Amino acid sequence: MEESMAALGTLNWTMVRAILAILQWWGFNVTVIIMNKWIFQKLDFKFPLTVSCVHFICSSIGAYIVIKVLKMKPLIEVEQEDKWRRIFPMSFVFCINIVLGNVSLRYIPVSFMQTIKSFTPATTVILQWLVWRKYFEWRIWASLVPIVGGILLTSITELSFNMFGFCAALFGCLATSTKTILAESLLHGYKFDSINTVYYMAPFATMILAIPALLLEGGGVINWFYTHEDIFSSMMIIFGSGVTAFCLNFSIFYVIHSTTAVTFNVAGNLKVAVAVLVSWMIFRNPISAMNAIGCAITLIGCTFYGYVRHLLSQQASSGNPSTPKTPRTPRGLMEMLPLVSGDKQEKV
């Protein structure tokens, strides 16, 4: 009797821990997105490169404090040659991915941007099939149909459509897919968690983006400082978004170790729905009924895709030779600051 009660208590704590992990992950993710949109729309700080640079700086400092000062995570040592030969190219793609996400957020509503970002599984499968000649089962291709259909319906019926923002979000999906695919070869042999990923890549990303941000947006930022009324509170929001972006990485590390792969997949797609709902409540961007249906179809497709991948992965691990192991793909969305692979036990 005592053993069963102890087992029940352990099960309850595991469930509570998973729920808390998911809720704090949702909280940080939605907060980052809403803060960035608020910066672009309400503060009139229309400089996505500068905002991205602030995020990289905050993440670099945060990762250093967590690993070197607080020693909450052990540092994964990387050889000096590998920092430039492996980490730097990954940091370049990582930088492009984040910048394109912020550029799209500058021009299109959160709901539309988040829906397009859900297209990442399709871009990953297509890239691996075209460029790397990877084999995929028919079930993988079938699971992409509702994703593609939902994206098309959402794009056609979007009331606040902007071609530049749409293209930025779409190319952001390609950057996310490229980043995760390249990680399999460039980071082979290194088992990075999300904090170590940020520790190594954020400084490189800052170095890569600093000069373009200064040249392209420096004059506009200076002019904004002279014309904007409440500088102090605005700067608090801008740097607060950077700190929250780093906290998002820490929350991903926590949720990965507190949930199963299936739970992570479902929670990730529900998180998109939460972000869309919260953003609509704050910014009141117009959403038509067909647009909402398209978004729902896309999220259902992403959930189905994740389930199919998990099912095939389970079959492959059970030793069924007839089932090819599908290459891993990103879980998508703004939590993508770290490199997150397809299977929970294979987190990079």
Side-chain angles (χ1 to χ4, degrees):
M1 184 67 177
E2 292 181 359
E3 291 182 358
S4 61
M5 290 296 291
L8 183 61
T10 302
L11 179 63
N12 289 338
W13 168 242
T14 302
M15 185 179 300
V16 170
R17 182 184 177 189
I19 293 173
L20 290 176
I22 290 170
L23 289 177
Q24 55 88 33
W25 176 40
W26 283 4
F28 283 123
N29 187 277
V30 174
T31 302
V32 169
I33 295 171
I34 297 302
M35 288 182 77
N36 285 354
K37 188 63 178 179
W38 188 275
I39 289 167
F40 295 137
Q41 186 169 319
K42 300 296 184 179
L43 300 185
D44 203 35
F45 191 84
K46 303 183 184 299
F47 310 107
L49 299 186
T50 304
V51 170
S52 301
C53 210
V54 169
H55 283 201
F56 292 146
I57 293 171
C58 292
S59 294
S60 300
I61 296 172
Y64 181 87
I65 292 174
V66 168
I67 292 176
K68 291 289 191 178
V69 179
L70 301 179
K71 300 187 184 300
M72 296 175 65
K73 283 291 299 177
L75 175 65
I76 297 176
E77 299 291 343
V78 176
E79 295 180 8
Q80 191 64 34
E81 180 185 357
D82 283 344
K83 288 182 180 178
W84 290 99
R85 188 166 59 91
R86 297 189 181 190
I87 304 295
F88 183 79
M90 284 299 305
S91 301
F92 183 77
V93 182
F94 166 75
C95 178
I96 292 175
N97 176 37
I98 301 302
V99 168
L100 287 174
N102 282 328
V103 168
S104 66
L105 201 57
R106 156 78 172 82
Y107 289 98
I108 59 178
V110 172
S111 56
F112 191 32
M113 186 271 275
Q114 287 285 282
T115 305
I116 297 172
K117 291 291 285 182
S118 298
F119 192 58
T120 302
T123 58
T124 305
V125 170
I126 293 170
L127 272 179
Q128 290 183 314
W129 177 64
L130 286 177
V131 180
W132 282 271
R133 300 299 179 186
K134 296 281 188 179
Y135 170 83
F136 291 93
E137 267 211 2
W138 68 268
R139 285 177 286 182
I140 288 289
W141 292 106
S143 68
L144 297 179
V145 173
I147 299 177
V148 176
I151 294 291
L152 287 174
L153 180 59
T154 304
S155 302
I156 293 171
T157 59
E158 175 57 48
L159 300 176
S160 304
F161 185 87
N162 179 282
M163 181 57 72
F164 187 73
F166 171 77
C167 291
L170 200 58
F171 280 109
C173 292
L174 290 172
T176 301
S177 301
T178 303
K179 178 188 68 177
T180 306
I181 294 170
L182 289 179
E184 294 186 5
S185 56
L186 291 179
L187 300 184
H188 179 72
Y190 291 105
K191 294 294 182 180
F192 283 130
D193 53 62
S194 57
I195 305 302
N196 274 275
T197 299
V198 173
Y199 178 84
Y200 283 109
M201 292 190 184
F204 275 133
T206 305
M207 181 178 66
I208 293 168
L209 189 59
I211 294 179
L214 184 64
L215 293 177
L216 297 175
E217 298 180 348
V221 172
I222 293 174
N223 183 63
W224 180 85
F225 268 100
Y226 279 108
T227 57
H228 196 70
E229 295 180 358
D230 196 352
I231 295 295
F232 180 76
S233 62
S234 297
M235 292 303 296
M236 289 290 290
I237 294 174
I238 293 171
F239 279 94
S241 72
V243 174
T244 308
F246 168 73
C247 292
L248 172 60
N249 287 274
F250 208 82
S251 72
I252 293 172
F253 169 77
Y254 181 46
V255 78
I256 282 171
H257 288 81
S258 303
T259 61
T260 64
V262 174
T263 303
F264 190 98
N265 173 58
V266 174
N269 293 311
L270 287 176
K271 175 172 57 62
V272 177
V274 172
V276 170
L277 178 61
V278 173
S279 69
W280 177 81
M281 292 173 63
I282 293 175
F283 299 105
R284 295 292 176 175
N285 57 287
I287 300 178
S288 66
M290 293 303 294
N291 191 259
I293 292 173
C295 180
I297 292 173
T298 302
L299 296 182
I300 292 171
C302 288
T303 304
F304 179 59
Y305 167 82
Y307 171 75
V308 170
R309 286 198 63 259
H310 176 72
L311 190 65
L312 293 176
S313 176
Q314 292 293 100
Q315 291 176 356
S317 62
S318 66
N320 185 354
S322 64
T323 305
K325 189 174 183 179
T326 54
R328 52 188 181 168
T329 59
R331 298 186 189 277
L333 322 197
M334 286 286 279
E335 86 235 18
M336 280 306 169
L337 272 173
L339 296 173
V340 182
S341 63
D343 295 319
K344 182 174 181 290
Q345 61 269 31
E346 291 183 322
K347 293 297 178 301
V348 178

